[in-house]
Amino acid sequence: MGIVDRLKAIGPGALVAAAFVGPGTVTTASVIGAEYAYLLVWTIAFSILATMVLQEMSARLGLITKEGLGEAFRNEFSNPLARGVTIALVVSAIGIGTAAFQTGNIVGGAAGLATITGISENIWGPIMGLVAAGLLWTGSYKLIERVFIGLVIVMGLAFVLNAIIVRPDPTALAGGLVPTVPEGSAYLIAGLVGTTVVGYNLFLHASTVQERWDGAADLAECRTDTIAMVAVGGVITTAIVVTAAAVFPEGTQISDVGEMADQLEPVFGGYALTFFAIGLFAAGFTSSMSAPLAGAYATAGALGWERDLKSTRFRAIWLTIIGIGILFSALDYNPVEVIVFAQVANGLLLPILAVFLIYAMNNDELLGEYTNSTLQNVLGGLVAVVVIGIGLRTLYDVLLL
């Protein structure tokens, strides 16, 4: 298959990229660029490689076994207690977690629209949530996928154009690929990796590849899609860091993207601010669709329910997640306690997912000739060690709150 044909096969990978480049990543990348300039660009490179490794395994598992990650998790444990604990952890970390983070997704996207239109984000938030619900309600995977691909293109162009406008220093940018850990940067490194290597994306990817492709014969297309779109997500994240590094003096501490917007307003007659706002909207809107979808796939799979976009139970899950996001965004309420709980659950789940995924990918009975190679196991093992460390760091940070 030629390169052009493979590019035409882009699909589920766009959902993955759109899911991890959300308002949280935009904020973290902006903070990193403002405080450390290009010094932590290597963290993006590592995060993208780690994401490629785990997402490829998840996609291969779904494509070959015709099971979602939730079903694979559920079927692995015959002991009722172990199965019950597993189901509870998946539902807590993915189902409740996506509901908690949904508020930030909607508010982030609404903030982008508010910057462009001047209309309050408390009005745009519910509208965004309803539009996202309408698209998911169609039950048409092809339509949903096309929307994601379109928005990833918009997001990519907006943030990359911004990075070009602010004229980055290419030498300093290249120097940022050399791993260094400046004093006080550990929490930002963990934060960026944590917002890129996302547990719920593993559930989303294992299921959506089955909507797009038929089986092992399509594995090459699937891998191209995964690698290409995750790489696009990395370029977008790098562009955000570059933009922040260019408009803030190194060492500047910012707390949110609002400060980034203030700095961009005078750049090139306001075009930079407009591009940034468009990118922020696209990041928030795509995440406000992907998070509920991932939550539905994960929860339905773990509970043994049908993973059908048009089934009543499946729709009930993502409707609940979107509904919570709409309610909190309209009330201007940040569900801090729920988010803290979700962080704890995700901190526990991601390392377990990584280890389980590597274990499952070495199961000859499950995957036959499509088990992991030695290189894939080595890379997967390194990623697992890092996410275990991040999980422990997350738990430590949360317990200190």
Side-chain angles (χ1 to χ4, degrees), residues 5 53 76 84 102 121 126 128 145 171 201 228 242 314 348 368 391:
D5 290 329
V53 170
E76 187 63 33
Q102 183 69 357
E121 58 197 58
M128 270 184 51
E145 183 184 86
T171 303
N201 262 347
V242 164
F314 193 90
L348 287 170

Side-chain angles (χ1 to χ4, degrees), residues 37-308:
Y38 306 116
L39 290 179
L40 298 182
V41 168
W42 67 268
T43 308
I44 302 173
F46 170 80
S47 301
I48 293 304
L49 176 61
T51 302
M52 287 177 179
V53 170
L54 292 183
Q55 294 296 157
E56 188 279 333
M57 290 185 194
S58 176
R60 184 162 26 111
L61 179 72
L63 200 60
I64 301 302
T65 67
K66 296 300 181 183
E67 286 186 346
L69 194 56
E71 289 94 325
F73 234 67
R74 176 187 177 86
N75 295 336
E76 187 63 33
F77 300 99
S78 55
N79 182 284
L81 178 60
R83 177 176 286 188
V85 171
T86 300
I87 292 171
L89 185 57
V90 170
V91 172
S92 297
I94 308 299
I96 297 176
T98 50
F101 298 134
Q102 183 69 357
T103 302
N105 294 333
I106 290 178
V107 169
L113 288 175
T115 300
I116 298 168
T117 65
I119 299 172
S120 170
E121 58 197 58
N122 296 118
I123 295 175
W124 279 121
I127 293 173
M128 270 184 51
L130 291 172
V131 172
L135 286 168
L136 293 179
W137 188 267
T138 64
S140 169
Y141 174 75
K142 285 186 177 180
L143 173 62
I144 294 169
E145 183 184 86
R146 285 170 185 166
V147 170
F148 270 97
I149 292 172
L151 286 172
V152 167
I153 291 172
V154 169
M155 179 166 54
L157 287 174
F159 285 129
V160 170
L161 283 172
N162 236 19
I164 293 171
I165 284 175
V166 297
R167 297 177 181 175
D169 180 347
T171 303
L173 179 59
L177 292 172
V178 179
T180 56
V181 183
E183 185 177 351
S185 66
Y187 80 101
L188 284 174
I189 292 172
L192 186 60
V193 176
T195 59
T196 306
V197 187
V198 183
Y200 72 68
N201 262 347
L202 299 174
F203 290 89
L204 180 67
H205 208 184
S207 295
T208 53
V209 292
Q210 298 173 51
E211 301 277 358
R212 178 62 184 265
W213 292 296
D214 295 324
D218 301 310
L219 191 55
E221 283 190 18
C222 179
R223 281 178 173 150
T224 298
D225 173 51
T226 301
I227 293 170
M229 295 312 295
V230 172
V232 167
V235 170
I236 292 171
T237 305
T238 303
I240 297 166
V241 170
V242 164
T243 301
V247 298
F248 288 101
E250 186 174 343
T252 303
Q253 295 186 348
I254 64 174
S255 57
D256 57 51
V257 293
E259 295 175 64
M260 177 86 138
D262 292 339
Q263 289 295 315
L264 285 170
E265 191 165 8
V267 179
F268 277 73
Y271 285 116
L273 175 61
T274 301
F275 287 142
F276 184 81
I278 291 171
L280 183 58
F281 156 69
F285 186 62
T286 52
S287 292
S288 70
M289 288 178 63
S290 60
L293 195 58
Y297 276 125
T299 303
L303 294 175
W305 295 352
E306 185 181 9
R307 288 181 299 109
D308 183 345

